[in-house]
Amino acid sequence: IAPRSPGIRQYFGTEDLLFFELGDADDLARQLEFAYADPDAVARVVNRGQDVYRANSWWHQRANLLDAVVSIFPPDVPS
């Protein structure tokens, strides 16, 4: 359960995370009640959220960045 803020929404969609309106305690309470009442739905959201997190984790992004750098500046391989 996370606040509906631009930084978080940039990565996670409504199917990937339970959102509440920032500063709205009633909305947070509704999400907590939903999570308590429907653990199966929450498990599905958690699984999707973890997939998004892993795809955007530093280790994954690091590999993408290194691949990009190598494609621009290939290693000097002696012939």
Side-chain angles (χ1 to χ4, degrees):
I1 300 174
R4 186 176 284 113
S5 66
I8 295 172
R9 291 296 309 268
Q10 182 176 353
Y11 294 97
F12 296 93
T14 56
E15 301 295 315
D16 311 321
L17 205 55
L18 297 177
F19 288 104
F20 68 94
E21 289 300 325
L22 188 60
D24 186 340
D26 291 334
D27 195 29
L28 174 57
R30 280 188 291 277
Q31 292 298 352
L32 290 169
E33 288 172 347
F34 170 78
Y36 179 78
D38 198 343
D40 292 336
V42 171
R44 290 188 296 274
V45 171
V46 166
N47 287 333
R48 287 188 300 267
Q50 287 176 338
D51 290 342
V52 171
Y53 170 78
R54 279 190 290 275
N56 291 286
S57 70
W58 167 242
W59 291 110
H60 184 78
Q61 293 303 319
R62 177 181 176 270
N64 290 340
L65 178 61
L66 290 174
D67 289 345
V69 169
V70 169
S71 73
I72 296 169
F73 304 104
D76 189 19
V77 179
S79 44

